[in-house]
Amino acid sequence: MDRRTFITLTGAVAMTAPLMAREAFSSPVSGTGSAPVDDPRYKELLAAAHKAKKNAYSKYSNFQVGAAILAKDGATITGCNVENASYGLTMCAERTAIFKAVSMGYKPGDFTAIAIAASADNFSPCGACRQVINEFGNEMTVIFEFGGKVVITPLAELLPYTFKL
Ligand code: THU
């Protein structure tokens, strides 16, 4: 007999759908919870991520990624992916940006948002980077482009049930 209990995350589903369906920065969607989709700084942040993407060192995958973090003090800290001949040593753009910011003195809770841009139409941050971003701000807004849309979502939507110590 199957004793597993199945639960439906209705709240999460209802929240994710309208965020995904929005045209790129065209009109803010109401009722989207903690992510203010119409924040004009997000457009600039995504532009900074695209700029950072140009610095990607990605000779093995030829896949370029740039990330830009908006700190609460107004600063923007960027990063790109950095690959290595020993593939597993590769560092993603998001983690490059986070580690750079931390090495500059920023602490958990100091960040508002992170935008990520990649050389592909469908991109979303990898699981490892979601976990690393989570370490420094579960309430952060994450911005990326997927299927011709700009997705603006709280990290908590991308990484529910986070691992914590
Ligand atoms: N990459 C990132 O920079 N961020 C992600 O979230 C996923 C993947 C990079 C790592 C590698 O250099 C290339 O994309 C292909 O996996």
Side-chain angles (χ1 to χ4, degrees), residues 41-147:
R41 295 174 303 172
Y42 294 165
K43 198 171 183 176
E44 291 168 28
L45 202 63
L46 190 57
H50 274 285
K51 194 172 172 199
K53 182 183 72 179
K54 293 180 185 156
N55 292 329
Y57 179 74
S58 56
K59 64 186 279 190
Y60 302 103
S61 72
N62 196 31
F63 190 81
Q64 289 84 42
V65 188
I69 301 170
L70 178 64
K72 287 180 181 167
D73 67 5
T76 298
I77 303 103
T78 60
C80 62
N81 55 330
V82 183
E83 299 188 347
N84 192 276
S86 177
Y87 297 168
L89 302 183
T90 290
M91 184 54 62
C92 290
E94 301 91 316
R95 282 180 287 157
T96 302
I98 292 267
F99 297 159
K100 187 168 142 188
V102 172
S103 71
M104 290 164 71
Y106 289 98
K107 309 276 185 238
D110 285 348
F111 307 127
T112 300
I114 180 167
I116 311 125
S119 56
D121 292 336
N122 291 332
F123 172 85
S124 72
C126 77
C129 288
R130 293 178 194 200
Q131 178 66 25
V132 170
I133 296 166
N134 180 72
E135 184 77 21
F136 293 94
N138 182 253
E139 72 296 336
M140 279 173 74
T141 299
V142 184
I143 301 143
F144 56 93
E145 293 162 298
F146 199 97

